[in-house]
Structure formats: structure tokens, C-alpha cells
Amino acid sequence: MKLQFKKSDLTNAINIVLKAVPSKTPMSILECILIDASNGVIHLVGNDNEFGIETICKGTIEVPGKVALEAKIFSEIIRRLPEAENILLTIETDERNNTVITCENSVFKIAGRDGDEFTALPSIDKNQTVSLSQFSLRQVINQTIFSIALNDSNKKMTGELFEVNGDDFTVTSLDGHRISIRRVKLNNTYGLSRAIVPGKALSELTKILSGGVYDETLISFSKNHILFEFDDTTVVSRLIDGEYFHVAQMLSEDYETKITVNRKKLLECIERSTIFVKDNDKQPLVFKVEDNVFGLRIHTELGTMDAEVPIQKTGNDLMIGFNPRYMVDALRNIDDEEINIYMSIPRSPCFIRDDEKSYNYMILPVNFNPDEV
Amino acid sequence: MKLQFKKSDLTNAINIVLKAVPSKTPMSILECILIDASNGVIHLVGNDNEFGIETICKGTIEVPGKVALEAKIFSEIIRRLPEAENILLTIETDERNNTVITCENSVFKIAGRDGDEFTALPSIDKNQTVSLSQFSLRQVINQTIFSIALNDSNKKMTGELFEVNGDDFTVTSLDGHRISIRRVKLNNTYGLSRAIVPGKALSELTKILSGGVYDETLISFSKNHILFEFDDTTVVSRLIDGEYFHVAQMLSEDYETKITVNRKKLLECIERSTIFVKDNDKQPLVFKVEDNVFGLRIHTELGTMDAEVPIQKTGNDLMIGFNPRYMVDALRNIDDEEINIYMSIPRSPCFIRDDEKSYNYMILPVNFNPDEV
């Protein structure tokens, strides 16, 4: 194999597929990047068997072939090469996969591995393919992924539910304390597809989904996999088995108290209160809802904060406690200047949602002793 | 005590004194910042007993007094307060040191401690005071501090030698593998002063020495301490006891081979070679000096790099091995476009120095087996 690249083209392609290369694994071949130039196009592939990325890299094929190169060393060599528009770098392998990377006055020799040892991405039977802008997909993931569960005790909580129904595309995550739902409108109408997508794959996906509102992603659903195609890149992730939680039953439209508040002002106040919350501390931030004013109070061994935020209120007065970090997560991921918060009684969840239900964040309250506040 | 501040003034002062607040210490009072407004000026002080910083903070004293506040919580509260030109924040304490910080619609209460528990900075008998620009002092420290020893097995190697003699100010560090020396000219002539200053204090000092070539620092030497005064800030560090190494005996002006080379090109090539060096790896980068060309070769289990850099050479051809990281450290800290490297035999150190001796970096070579290169 003998290939020629511009450094910037190769660097971009490496940075994309690196997202699927695990840093530690018992199967050392997975720590490689596959360069496949056997079929007239140069593909780079990273694959950890759960989650794989393939991308096309611009370059010249002088001699076709393929090789797997240890990702860390390979990417580091390319990164350190001189950068200039007119400088080309050459990657050449012999029949034993010994690889020589040449650029200007520097020559690097590293041991490669047989490209056939590398596991290709699975081929997918597409049940349904949905079109969405890269911007929207990145947004709905970023605005919900903070409330997946990080530990594996309930596998389904570590993923997000992707649901297509008609012209609705809905993404849901929950961790036992809160539910985050984002919905966007599709340009076409589709049949029902549901899939639980691992959070890790989605989080890596958002890092390489760099396009805007006019750049398309195709999302294809299959029995065991989901496929994302955009620009020159294909991302495949295995799905999490089983049926997702019945979230609709946990949502309620009823409320006793509705407040309208400036999101940024409220967020800043709640962020300040987290100064007094240590890791794993359960001490709630207590909201005191009265006419025109939202009193916030937190009291821990580290200190006390009292703050007030102006609101418009309809319905009953109320005192209710929340984990301030969960409130911060939801409020940071809303763009609206004014938001509505719906509450009922101190033991019922609150909902932060807009009228169109493009977002709906449910947060469970935390018990507190009113005498200690 | 009752004080009023603009947030930006207080934040700046906190960020300066925080550099002297240890994060973990058995004496919890050291984890505090002292606010001392008992003498008509507001001072903030951080002090870990080896190293202390005092700075003046702009603000209004409504009621004089002093209090020690836990640095992490205090700085976090101030950092999170709203920022605007016209917003003032108030710090008020009662007779039990309970402290209330008020800003707009937020009120924080934290427990303070008696300001008299806090250890004041030592008062210093100044033997000699030297004037230098903040820019020069920051430079000479940054350009030498990388070659202090990080572990304590030889305490003197963890500090830098500061030496004033006539109009010369010289800073020296060494770690057993290399020596770094920087010399700047002073505007006046002074008697001899020598002091071994702990590296940790110097490294924190450079972070707060923000001024330029026209901003002065006064450096005062005493028997056991060194004092730096600049802007509204005073930094005091205890010295390391004992006599420093006799560095002059380790330097040599003799050489067999002198090469002149473009610093940036050489640096980039050597940086690339470090890709193949794992932590604690002793494998040297071998320099092959010939007429007009400098061959660089490294060969480790990870791979091989060969590179060439054009040079001008006088004297003998030579093959010599070095730890590439030490070369990188020295070359990164020189500003000159072209540099001179002086060498003798494969077992003798090399020197990178300019004709004025404003810098002199000595690096010991590493043995290698010429048959394996």
C-alpha cells in the first residue's frame, strides 16, 4: 500500500474515527485505526465492537492495500508533522505491514498489523431511514444526555430512547431522579421506530457532528443497530436490548402552581447555591413560592444562602425542595428567556416545559424538614 | 467588620493570595484567607508558613476589623456573584466571626475564624534590595525552573540559586542531568547576595507577576527569607538552607565541535522523536553531526524516526546521544532564531549558550550502543 495525503485531511479523518477507538481493551487490534485503500477510496475505521466509525479521507492511492495502525502512536506522529498547504505526507507498507511515514525531512517506521484482522463495521438491514439536520440531532442529544444514569445497575438508563412517530422525533433520558425529553419536527412523515441508544455512543457522536441546520444526517434503524450517516462519515452503534420505561405514565399535565421566571436569573441563583453542596450531599435547595417572588434557601454545614428571584405566579403558594444540580442541568439546556415551571405539592415532581412540548424536564423533589429551613 | 467591594477588585486580590493557600494541611487555619481591615487599608493574606502572599484590595471600610475565611468557599462565593460595574458586595462580620456576604438579591452566611489565629507574614531584616522588571524576573524563572528536581531526595535541587553580583542577576537550577542558567543585567550595581529559593514559591510567583518591562519588582534578601514586592503585593518565601552546588566547576568553555542551527526546526524534529519515548524510557535520541547536516535518529520498541536538519559546523564529526525531553526543555526556553551548540566527545556534556552568556544550558549525554543505532 502507498498513499499520499495532505496533513489536514488525514488529521481530520483520524480525529473522527479516534472517537470509536477504546483506550484500554484486552483485544489490542481494537486499539488500531484501519486504513483501507483496497477499493479505490481511502477509508479510515475505528471500532470498539459496540460502536464504530468509518470515514472517507481525501488522498492519493498510489498502491492499493490496507493496514491497521496502533491509533495512539499513528495519530501522534501525524499530529506532530509539519503543517503547510504544499507539504504532502506518504504512508507506505510492505508485505509484512511494516509502515513508513515520510514527510519532508522526517521518516517514521512503525509496525502495522494485517488489515484483515480488523473487524469491519456490521452491515445493517435498514428498517427505516429518517432525515434530520446535524444541528438538530446534536442539540437534542446534548439537551438530554445529562440525565442518563452513569452506572450500569440498570442498563436501559445508560441509554437514550430515540423515537420516530409521524413527523415527531423524540429523545428521552431518565436516571431515576428526573426525566428529560426533547422533541423536534421532521420534514417528512415516518412510521414508528424506537431504539435505546447507548449514551457513550451518543456522546462521542455529538463531538463529530459538526454541521449546521442545512447539513443532513440520515438515521437508520435496524433490529440491533442504529446508523448515522453524515458528510463522509458513518457511525454505527449497537442498541440496548429491551423495552424502555413507560415514560408517558410518569408525566402529568395537572398542576396547582405555575410560575413564569427569567431563566438566566434563576439559573445564576441556583448555581450559586451549589457552592454549599458537597458531592453526594442530599441537602435540598428549598424553593418558597409566593406571589411575585421565588425565595431560594439552602442551609448546609458549609453555610447558608438566601436569594430571591422575581416571578409571575398563578395558583397556590408552596414550599418544595430540589437537588439544585438537577435544576441547573435542566435550566442550562433550555434556550428560552422566560420559562414556565409547573408544581403541585411538596411530594410531587415539577415540570419545566414549553407549550409546544419541544422540551419537558421532570425533576423529583427532595424531602426536607420545614423546621430546619 | 463591614467592608464594601467591587467584585472585580476582590476577585483579583483573592486570586493573588490563593496562590499561597495550601489545599490540604493539618492546620486548617492555613486553608483560610485573612481579610485584615484593622489599619485603614484592606489587606488579603494567604500563608502556608513556607510561603506567604499579602496584597492590598481596593474597597471601603465601613467598620474596621479582621476575619479569616475558608479560602475555597469564600473564593467560590465571590466568583459566582453577579458581575457588573455598578454592583457592590458587602462583607460583614459579628463578634463571633459569623460572616454575611451580600450582593444584590443574594445573601450568604458562612462561619469565619478569629483573624488573630492567622499567622502573619514574617517581618524581614533586609540585607540588600535589588530592582528588576516584572517581565525579566518572570522570564528568568520560567526559563530555568523546568530543570529543578521534583523529588525531595536532595532538597537543594528543588530550589533555584538566585545570585546578585555587581550588575549581574543570575538564576541557576540543576537536577543531576542538566544545568540551566539565565543572567540579566541590573540597572544598578550591588554587593554579593546568594539565596536558594524553593521552586514551588517561584512557580506560584510567576503566575501573579503579571507586569511588563516597565513594572518594577523589588527583591530583598535576608538570612532566611526572600521578599518580592510589586504593585500592591508582597510575596515572602523561606529559603532552602545550605550552600548551593559549585556550578562554575561543571561548566567548560572548551569544545571540539560547534554547530549553528535554526532553533525552531531542530526543536520540531526533536519533539517528534519524543513520540517514541515512553515515561522513564532511557532510550536516547542519537545526534550524528556531519558537515552541513545534523542527523537525528531514535529507535525504540514503539518505532524508529530518522530526521535531518541543516547546520553549519566547525570542528569534528561526532555521534552523541541525549534524552530528547531535556533538549526540548532547553530549546523551548530560548528566543534566538539561530543557536550555537558546543560539544566535545560522546561522554561529555553539550552546552547551548549565547556569546553574551545570557543563557547557558548544559545537558549530560546518554550512553548508547552505536551498533544498535
Side-chain angles (χ1 to χ4, degrees):
Chain A
M1 187 189 80
K2 185 172 180 186
L3 312 175
Q4 267 199 334
F5 300 92
K6 279 206 295 194
K7 173 180 166 173
S8 55
D9 292 331
L10 187 54
T11 308
N12 289 345
I14 289 173
N15 286 342
I16 290 171
V17 299
L18 265 184
K19 300 285 183 294
V21 178
S23 54
K24 278 274 174 214
T25 157
M27 285 175 67
S28 64
I29 187 74
L30 299 183
E31 291 172 25
C32 291
I33 289 175
L34 175 70
I35 305 178
D36 184 349
S38 51
N39 295 310
V41 181
I42 307 174
H43 281 103
L44 264 63
V45 190
N47 188 5
D48 81 353
N49 280 354
E50 292 289 313
F51 169 55
I53 305 177
E54 181 175 299
T55 195
I56 293 172
C57 182
K58 267 189 237 160
T60 311
I61 303 177
E62 297 192 2
V63 181
K66 55 177 164 174
V67 69
L69 299 176
E70 207 273 303
K72 224 158 82 182
I73 285 277
F74 175 52
S75 63
E76 186 78 347
I77 290 172
I78 304 303
R79 195 173 67 76
R80 300 260 194 159
L81 291 177
E83 177 113 54
E85 194 50 39
N86 56 346
I87 298 180
L88 289 180
L89 66 96
T90 306
I91 301 180
E92 195 171 359
T93 56
D94 65 15
E95 66 288 350
R96 291 167 151 196
N97 299 302
N98 291 317
T99 303
V100 180
I101 302 170
T102 313
C103 184
E104 284 205 312
N105 58 353
S106 298
V107 181
F108 296 85
K109 296 191 186 105
I110 54 175
R113 293 174 64 167
D114 186 350
D116 289 326
E117 284 181 43
F118 196 89
T119 318
L121 297 196
S123 62
I124 305 290
D125 287 330
K126 299 175 184 177
N127 297 334
Q128 172 161 279
T129 297
V130 168
S131 161
L132 189 66
S133 79
Q134 294 188 30
F135 176 83
S136 291
L137 180 58
R138 190 173 61 238
Q139 286 276 92
V140 292
I141 297 171
N142 282 337
Q143 290 168 337
T144 51
I145 200 158
F146 58 83
S147 66
I148 61 171
L150 295 177
N151 71 52
D152 261 2
S153 65
N154 188 327
K155 186 84 180 166
K156 280 180 285 184
M157 283 192 189
T158 66
E160 296 208 314
L161 179 69
F162 273 36
E163 183 169 349
V164 174
N165 197 0
D167 64 349
D168 278 343
F169 176 61
T170 310
V171 174
T172 306
S173 70
L174 64 81
D175 66 0
H177 303 287
R178 51 193 169 155
I179 303 174
S180 304
I181 305 172
R182 278 273 170 180
R183 198 180 56 161
V184 289
K185 285 287 168 194
L186 300 168
N187 287 328
N188 292 306
T189 302
Y190 301 91
L192 181 69
S193 287
R194 293 167 64 99
I196 311 174
V197 191
K200 191 183 163 301
L202 293 176
S203 141
E204 298 300 335
L205 175 66
T206 58
K207 294 176 194 158
I208 55 176
L209 261 180
S210 54
V213 286
Y214 298 111
D215 299 302
E216 194 183 36
T217 325
L218 294 176
I219 309 177
S220 299
F221 294 83
S222 85
K223 187 163 178 295
N224 296 316
H225 291 90
I226 191 165
L227 191 86
F228 301 91
E229 291 164 288
F230 52 96
D231 306 331
D232 291 324
T233 301
T234 303
V235 174
V236 185
S237 172
R238 197 186 288 271
L239 298 178
I240 296 171
D241 282 342
E243 201 182 348
Y244 199 67
F245 310 95
H246 294 282
V247 169
Q249 301 172 0
M250 306 178 209
L251 306 177
S252 160
E253 303 266 314
D254 301 337
Y255 64 89
E256 306 279 326
T257 307
K258 172 185 173 182
I259 66 172
T260 304
V261 60
N262 179 290
R263 182 187 62 86
K264 192 155 167 280
K265 277 197 186 146
L266 179 61
L267 175 58
E268 285 172 355
C269 270
I270 300 179
E271 282 177 327
R272 269 171 225 142
S273 76
T274 60
I275 298 167
F276 292 136
V277 185
K278 284 193 208 157
D279 295 340
N280 303 319
D281 205 336
K282 289 279 163 63
Q283 203 60 30
L285 174 67
V286 175
F287 289 6
K288 193 168 179 183
V289 183
E290 293 175 339
D291 285 340
N292 303 322
V293 68
F294 207 13
L296 279 68
R297 184 181 178 93
I298 195 157
H299 175 66
T300 76
E301 58 183 21
L302 297 173
T304 303
M305 183 195 89
D306 282 292
E308 284 187 351
V309 185
I311 54 169
Q312 288 137 42
K313 187 200 77 164
T314 58
N316 302 337
D317 287 1
L318 181 70
M319 273 179 85
I320 185 168
F322 291 102
N323 180 327
R325 295 221 174 96
Y326 295 162
M327 279 283 167
V328 166
D329 283 340
L331 294 175
R332 272 191 192 152
N333 283 289
I334 298 173
D335 295 321
D336 294 350
E337 196 177 329
E338 297 278 319
I339 54 161
N340 295 319
I341 308 181
Y342 300 87
M343 295 177 272
S344 297
I345 54 167
R347 286 166 186 271
S348 295
C350 83
F351 294 90
I352 308 173
R353 63 171 182 255
D354 61 349
D355 294 337
E356 301 78 37
K357 303 261 185 61
S358 72
Y359 60 84
N360 193 355
Y361 294 103
M362 187 208 88
I363 303 173
L364 290 175
V366 180
N367 283 335
F368 64 96
N369 182 343
D371 299 335
E372 285 180 5
V373 174
Chain B
M1 187 187 80
K2 185 172 180 185
L3 313 174
Q4 267 199 334
F5 300 92
K6 278 205 296 192
K7 173 181 165 171
S8 54
D9 291 332
L10 187 54
T11 308
N12 289 345
I14 290 174
N15 286 341
I16 289 171
V17 299
L18 264 184
K19 300 285 183 290
V21 178
S23 54
K24 278 276 172 210
T25 157
M27 284 175 69
S28 64
I29 186 73
L30 298 183
E31 291 172 26
C32 291
I33 288 175
L34 175 71
I35 305 177
D36 184 349
S38 52
N39 295 311
V41 181
I42 307 174
H43 281 103
L44 265 62
V45 190
N47 188 4
D48 80 354
N49 280 354
E50 292 289 314
F51 169 56
I53 305 177
E54 181 174 301
T55 195
I56 293 171
C57 183
K58 268 188 235 160
T60 311
I61 303 175
E62 296 190 3
V63 180
K66 57 176 161 173
V67 69
L69 299 176
E70 206 273 304
K72 224 158 83 183
I73 285 277
F74 175 52
S75 63
E76 186 78 347
I77 291 173
I78 303 304
R79 195 174 67 77
R80 300 259 194 158
L81 291 177
E83 176 111 56
E85 195 49 39
N86 56 347
I87 298 180
L88 289 180
L89 65 96
T90 307
I91 300 180
E92 195 171 359
T93 56
D94 66 15
E95 68 287 350
R96 291 166 152 197
N97 299 302
N98 291 316
T99 303
V100 180
I101 302 170
T102 313
C103 183
E104 282 205 313
N105 57 353
S106 298
V107 181
F108 296 85
K109 296 190 186 107
I110 53 176
R113 293 174 64 166
D114 186 350
D116 290 325
E117 284 181 42
F118 195 89
T119 317
L121 296 197
S123 61
I124 305 291
D125 286 330
K126 300 176 185 178
N127 298 334
Q128 173 161 279
T129 297
V130 169
S131 162
L132 189 65
S133 80
Q134 293 189 31
F135 175 83
S136 290
L137 179 59
R138 190 173 59 238
Q139 286 276 93
V140 292
I141 297 171
N142 283 336
Q143 291 168 337
T144 50
I145 200 157
F146 57 85
S147 65
I148 61 170
L150 296 177
N151 71 51
D152 261 3
S153 65
N154 188 326
K155 187 83 180 165
K156 280 180 285 183
M157 283 192 189
T158 66
E160 296 208 312
L161 178 69
F162 273 36
E163 184 170 350
V164 173
N165 196 1
D167 64 350
D168 278 343
F169 175 61
T170 309
V171 175
T172 306
S173 70
L174 63 82
D175 65 1
H177 304 286
R178 49 192 171 156
I179 304 173
S180 304
I181 305 172
R182 279 275 171 178
R183 198 180 58 161
V184 289
K185 286 286 168 193
L186 300 168
N187 287 327
N188 292 307
T189 301
Y190 301 91
L192 180 69
S193 287
R194 292 167 64 99
I196 310 174
V197 191
K200 192 184 162 301
L202 292 176
S203 143
E204 298 300 333
L205 174 66
T206 59
K207 295 176 193 159
I208 55 175
L209 260 180
S210 54
V213 287
Y214 299 110
D215 299 301
E216 193 183 38
T217 325
L218 295 176
I219 308 176
S220 299
F221 294 83
S222 84
K223 188 164 177 295
N224 295 316
H225 290 90
I226 191 165
L227 192 87
F228 301 91
E229 291 165 287
F230 51 96
D231 306 332
D232 291 325
T233 301
T234 304
V235 174
V236 185
S237 172
R238 196 186 289 269
L239 298 178
I240 296 171
D241 281 343
E243 201 183 345
Y244 200 66
F245 309 94
H246 294 283
V247 169
Q249 300 172 359
M250 306 177 209
L251 306 177
S252 160
E253 303 266 315
D254 301 336
Y255 64 90
E256 306 280 327
T257 307
K258 172 185 174 183
I259 66 173
T260 304
V261 60
N262 179 288
R263 183 187 63 84
K264 193 155 167 279
K265 277 198 185 144
L266 179 62
L267 174 59
E268 285 172 355
C269 269
I270 300 179
E271 282 177 328
R272 269 172 226 144
S273 76
T274 60
I275 298 167
F276 292 135
V277 185
K278 284 193 209 154
D279 296 340
N280 302 320
D281 204 336
K282 290 277 162 65
Q283 203 61 31
L285 175 66
V286 175
F287 288 6
K288 192 168 179 184
V289 183
E290 293 174 341
D291 285 340
N292 304 321
V293 66
F294 206 13
L296 279 68
R297 183 180 179 93
I298 194 157
H299 174 67
T300 76
E301 58 181 23
L302 297 172
T304 303
M305 184 196 87
D306 282 292
E308 284 186 351
V309 185
I311 55 168
Q312 289 137 42
K313 187 199 79 165
T314 57
N316 302 336
D317 286 1
L318 180 70
M319 273 180 83
I320 185 168
F322 291 103
N323 180 329
R325 295 223 174 95
Y326 296 163
M327 278 282 166
V328 166
D329 283 341
L331 294 176
R332 273 191 191 151
N333 283 289
I334 298 173
D335 294 320
D336 293 350
E337 196 176 329
E338 297 278 320
I339 54 161
N340 295 319
I341 308 182
Y342 299 87
M343 295 178 272
S344 298
I345 54 167
R347 286 166 187 272
S348 294
C350 82
F351 294 90
I352 309 172
R353 63 172 183 254
D354 62 347
D355 294 337
E356 301 76 37
K357 304 261 185 64
S358 74
Y359 59 85
N360 193 355
Y361 293 103
M362 187 209 86
I363 303 174
L364 289 176
V366 180
N367 283 336
F368 64 96
N369 182 343
D371 300 334
E372 285 180 7
V373 174

